[in-house]
Amino acid sequence: TAIHRKTVSFLVFQISVVVVVSVAIAIIPLVNNLEDFFVNGLYYDAGIKLFTGFPNKEEHSDVISRYYGRMQKTPLKWKTINKMVRQMFSQDYGELRVRKLDFYGNDGTCIFKYFVTPSDPQRMYVWSILVLNSICFILITASYMIISSASKQSSEKLGERFKKRHRATQRKISAIIITDCACWIPFIVICILHSAEVLDATEWYSMFSVVILPINSVINPFLYDKTLNKKI
């Protein structure tokens, strides 16, 4: 029917938008032209004794200013830093091998970096995504509560049979909201505390990203299952 086709088309459109936005969010940190917003530092060959660890922009600027002399007090771009560092070494050193410590390279697991500090260049991007996630979470919770309220009003008008159905719906909605809150609220709180440097949650990041957050997606299909709902 026409209504069915419209419903399917709208569903396909929604899925397409979600896929495009998700891919864009994942790819943006890898765009070379945006590296100044996402790269934390650079790794150099062990043979290069000029730097240790993965120096950030400030550490690079300090060394470069000492080598080249007085420089303007303006933030250097990574492209400029890379060029100036290479000019500090003659061809006798061979090819200067450099690796970026970028958005996905701050942890042993290649995952989205939610835990940021004030010194991280990607903090604004990360917090934009966290705010967007929080807004979506609030809207979803509000929608479930509206559905529950509407279901209650309808069941009161239609008799005892529908009241039982409403109670089952209410239990399902409550379970969904509780699991969502249990997964997301602690994570957001940890993100805030880490960003404010109240605590260092770096060691917890893999656990949250690989275990805690995906659990929410794993649990939801079971909550929608009728067999399980009878036991809730």
Side-chain angles (χ1 to χ4, degrees), residues 198-231:
V198 174
L199 55 82
D200 183 2
T202 305
E203 294 183 357
W204 307 346
Y205 189 65
S206 295
M207 180 188 68
F208 270 98
S209 296
V210 179
V211 180
I212 303 298
L213 293 184
I215 282 178
N216 187 37
S217 300
V218 172
I219 290 176
N220 280 344
F222 293 100
L223 295 177
Y224 285 105
D225 183 70
K226 293 182 179 180
T227 303
L228 182 61
N229 284 323
K230 292 178 181 179
K231 297 180 180 180

Side-chain angles (χ1 to χ4, degrees), residues 130-197:
L130 282 171
V131 169
L132 178 62
N133 282 344
S134 299
I135 291 173
C136 292
F137 170 71
I138 292 170
L139 289 175
I140 291 171
T141 301
S143 298
Y144 278 130
M145 294 177 71
I146 291 171
I147 292 172
S148 177
S149 177
S151 174
K152 182 179 180 180
Q153 292 177 4
S154 299
S155 64
E156 289 176 349
K157 296 177 182 179
L158 297 175
E160 186 63 29
R161 177 186 173 188
F162 290 92
K163 285 184 179 180
K164 291 182 179 179
R165 184 179 298 177
H166 164 71
R167 285 193 289 269
T169 302
Q170 182 67 42
R171 288 194 296 269
K172 180 193 295 185
I173 291 174
S174 298
I176 292 171
I177 292 176
I178 289 171
T179 53
D180 285 351
C181 290
C183 291
W184 272 104
I185 291 179
F187 181 71
I188 296 296
V189 171
I190 294 295
C191 287
I192 294 172
L193 294 176
H194 183 86
S195 182
E197 298 185 323

Side-chain angles (χ1 to χ4, degrees), residues 19-116:
V19 170
V20 170
V21 172
S22 300
V23 171
I25 289 173
I27 290 178
I28 285 175
L30 301 177
V31 177
N32 282 332
N33 291 336
L34 300 176
E35 63 181 2
D36 290 302
F37 299 100
F38 296 102
V39 174
N40 286 68
L42 300 176
Y43 284 114
Y44 291 92
D45 259 353
I48 303 299
K49 304 300 183 181
L50 190 61
F51 300 104
T52 57
F54 49 94
N56 57 25
K57 279 189 176 183
E58 289 72 20
E59 292 167 325
H60 274 95
S61 297
D62 182 56
V63 172
I64 289 172
S65 64
R66 291 172 185 271
Y67 181 84
Y68 287 97
R70 187 173 180 180
M71 298 176 60
Q72 292 182 349
K73 293 183 178 180
T74 55
L76 294 175
K77 294 189 175 184
W78 281 118
K79 184 177 181 180
T80 304
I81 289 173
N82 194 28
K83 181 180 179 180
M84 296 180 78
V85 170
R86 288 180 185 278
Q87 290 175 349
M88 293 166 63
F89 295 89
S90 68
Q91 293 183 354
D92 295 335
Y93 283 88
E95 180 65 22
L96 186 64
R97 291 194 293 268
V98 182
R99 288 188 300 115
K100 298 176 183 177
L101 180 65
D102 57 23
F103 189 75
Y104 294 105
N106 291 274
D107 193 89
T109 311
C110 185
I111 46 184
F112 196 92
K113 184 182 179 184
Y114 280 115
F115 289 177
V116 291

Side-chain angles (χ1 to χ4, degrees), residues 37-38 103 116-118 120-131 195:
F37 299 100
F38 296 102
F103 189 75
V116 291
T117 61
D120 283 318
Q122 58 272 87
R123 62 190 179 281
M124 295 303 296
Y125 182 74
V126 171
W127 275 106
S128 297
I129 302 302
L130 282 171
V131 169
S195 182

